[in-house]
C-alpha cells in the first residue's frame, strides 16, 4: 500500500492537521506560534525564578515548578511536529513517533490534572491549618504528592500507549487531528474498539473527577474557614491566594471535560482540534501569567533577577 505521494512508509500515519495555507489560517498559525513561544519562555522563566530565589523554596512554589515543567513538556510534545509538518508540507508521522505522542500526552495531562487537585489540598492546609502547615506539608509529603502525580500519569500513559499501538490499523491511516490523539486514532483500527473506548471513557471520568472532587472538597473547607475569619482583610488575602489556582483549574478542567466527557454523538473533529489547541498550547501559556502577575513573591523575584542582569551588563 502506498501513502500520499510516497512521502511516508506503510507504517506511518498521516496527520491531517488543523491549518490550511489560506490567508486566514496563516494568521492563525502565526498566532499559535506566538502563543507557543510565550508558553516556552514563560514556563522556563518561572522554573528559573523558583530555582534561584530562596523565598520561593516553599511547598506551593515547588508544586508550581512541577506544573510549569509539565506544561513545558506538554507544549513540546505536539506543537513542534505540527509546525514541521505545516512548514514542510509533509504530514506523516512514524508509528513509533505516534505512540510516543500518545504516551507523553496522556501522561502529562493525567499528571497535571492530579497535581492541580492536590494543589487545592495544599491551599486548604495553608488557610485552615496555618500553624500546622510546616508539619502537614513537610518536604516528604510534598515529594509524595508530586511523585504520585507523575506516577499516576506515567502508568496511565504507558498502558494506553501500549494498548492503542497493538491494534491493527488499515486503510489510508489518515488521523483527523494535528497530533496522534488517541480517540482519532482508534477510528482507523481494523477491529472493533468499542470495549476499549468504553474503558477509556470510564478512566477519563475517574481521572477528571478524582482530582476535581479533591478540589471541590478543599475549596468548600477553605470557604468555610474564610467565613469564620473575624478579619475581613485576612479573608480577602486567603481568597486571593486561591484565585490563581481556581483560574488554572477552570481552564484545564473545562477544556478536558469538553473533549473527553461529551457523548459520542456530539463529538466533531473540528471542535476537538480547536479545544485541543486551547489546552495543549494556550493553557500552558496562561499558567505562568496567572500565577506570577498576581503574586508579589514571583514578581519580586523577577524584579530582583532583572536588577542583577542590569548590574551585570553595566560591569
Amino acid at each position: 500500500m502506498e501513502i500520499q505521494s510516497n512521502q511516508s512508509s506503510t507504517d506511518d500515519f498521516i496527520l491531517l492537521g488543523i491549518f490550511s495555507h489560506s490567508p486566514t489560517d496563516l494568521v492563525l498559525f502565526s498566532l499559535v506560534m506566538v502563543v507557543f513561544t510565550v508558553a516556552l519562555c514563560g514556563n522556563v522563566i518561572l522554573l528559573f525564578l523558583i530555582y534561584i530565589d530562596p523565598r520561593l523554596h516553599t511547598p506551593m512554589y515547588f508544586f508550581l515548578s512541577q506544573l510549569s515543567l509539565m506544561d513545558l513538556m506538554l507544549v513540546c510534545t505536539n506543537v513542534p511536529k505540527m509546525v514541521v509538518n505545516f512548514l514542510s508540507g509533509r504530514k506523516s508521522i512514524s508509528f513509533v513517533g505516534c505512540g510516543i505522542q500518545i504516551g507523553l500526552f496522556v501522561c502529562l495531562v493525567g499528571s497535571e490534572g492530579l497535581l492541580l487537585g492536590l494543589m487545592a489540598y495544599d491551599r486548604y492546609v495553608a488557610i485552615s491549618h496555618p500553624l500546622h502547615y510546616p508539619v502537614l506539608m513537610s518536604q516528604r509529603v510534598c515529594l509524595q504528592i508530586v511523585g504520585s502525580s507523575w506516577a499516576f500519569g506515567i502508568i496511565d500513559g504507558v498502558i494506553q500507549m501500549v494498548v492503542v499501538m497493538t491494534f491493527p490499523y488499515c486503510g489510508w491511516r489518515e488521523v483527523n487531528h494535528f497530533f496522534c490523539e488517541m480517540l482519532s486514532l482508534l477510528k482507523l483500527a481494523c477491529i472493533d474498539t468499542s470495549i476499549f473506548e468504553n474503558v477509556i471513557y470510564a478512566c477519563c471520568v475517574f481521572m477528571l473527577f478524582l482530582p476535581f472532587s479533591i478540589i471541590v472538597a478543599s475549596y468548600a473547607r477553605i470557604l468555610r474557614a474564610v467565613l469564620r475569619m473575624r478579619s475581613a482583610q485576612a479573608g480577602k488575602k486567603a481568597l486571593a491566594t486561591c484565585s490563581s489556582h481556581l483560574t488554572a483549574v477552570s481552564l484545564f478542567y473545562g477544556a478536558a471535560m469538553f473533549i473527553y466527557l461529551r457523548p459520542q454523538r456530539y463529538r466533531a473533529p473540528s471542535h476537538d482540534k480547536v479545544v485541543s489547541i486551547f489546552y495543549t498550547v494556550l493553557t500552558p501559556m496562561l499558567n505562568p501569567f496567572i500565577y506570577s502577575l498576581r503574586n508579589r513573591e514571583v514578581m519580586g523575584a523577577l524584579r530582583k533577577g532583572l536588577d542583577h542582569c542590569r548590574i551585570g551588563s553595566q560591569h
Side-chain angles (χ1 to χ4, degrees), residues 18 176-179 181 183-184 187 255 258-260 262 264 266-280:
I18 187 172
N176 194 6
H177 218 293
F178 63 88
F179 67 98
E181 197 266 336
L183 296 179
S184 300
K187 295 176 182 177
F258 179 83
I259 288 282
Y260 294 107
R262 280 179 303 159
Q264 187 71 28
Y266 295 120
R267 295 181 62 86
S270 58
H271 296 162
D272 288 352
K273 286 190 278 190
V274 171
V275 177
S276 293
I277 282 282
F278 183 86
Y279 76 89
T280 58

Side-chain angles (χ1 to χ4, degrees), residues 95-113:
F95 185 84
V96 173
C98 193
I100 290 173
Q101 271 197 346
I102 289 174
L104 284 174
F105 179 76
V106 173
C107 163
L108 293 167
V109 170
S111 297
E112 185 165 334

Side-chain angles (χ1 to χ4, degrees), residues 173-193:
R173 295 194 172 202
E174 293 181 340
V175 182
N176 194 6
H177 218 293
F178 63 88
F179 67 98
C180 280
E181 197 266 336
M182 182 180 56
L183 296 179
S184 300
L185 198 66
L186 289 176
K187 295 176 182 177
L188 308 179
C190 301
I191 60 173
D192 181 20
T193 61

Side-chain angles (χ1 to χ4, degrees), residues 3 23-24 222 242 245:
I3 295 182
T24 302
I222 287 171
C242 298
H245 180 257

Side-chain angles (χ1 to χ4, degrees), residues 70 73-74 100-114 149-158 160 207:
M70 291 172 184
M73 293 176 67
L74 185 59
I100 290 173
Q101 271 197 346
I102 289 174
L104 284 174
F105 179 76
V106 173
C107 163
L108 293 167
V109 170
S111 297
E112 185 165 334
L114 185 57
S149 298
W150 279 107
F152 180 76
I154 289 170
I155 292 170
D156 188 44
V158 169
Q160 293 196 32
M207 286 177 65

Side-chain angles (χ1 to χ4, degrees), residues 44-106:
V44 168
I45 290 171
L46 191 55
L47 276 167
F48 180 70
L49 291 176
I50 292 172
Y51 177 75
I52 65 168
D53 197 314
R55 292 175 299 176
L56 303 183
H57 294 173
T58 62
M60 184 179 80
Y61 293 108
F62 174 59
F63 297 142
L64 185 53
S65 71
Q66 296 300 303
L67 186 67
S68 285
L69 180 60
M70 291 172 184
D71 281 338
L72 197 59
M73 293 176 67
L74 185 59
V75 296
C76 292
T77 296
N78 303 326
V79 179
K81 181 61 178 175
M82 179 193 74
V83 173
V84 169
N85 283 1
F86 180 81
L87 295 178
S88 67
R90 294 174 58 89
K91 296 184 176 183
S92 64
I93 183 171
S94 67
F95 185 84
V96 173
C98 193
I100 290 173
Q101 271 197 346
I102 289 174
L104 284 174
F105 179 76
V106 173

Side-chain angles (χ1 to χ4, degrees), residues 283-308:
T283 301
M285 182 206 75
L286 291 174
N287 279 345
F289 292 97
I290 290 168
Y291 282 103
S292 60
L293 293 178
R294 303 180 67 180
N295 190 299
R296 292 179 182 177
E297 287 88 355
V298 174
M299 293 306 293
L302 180 60
R303 282 191 292 269
K304 183 179 176 182
L306 292 174
D307 288 341
H308 279 304

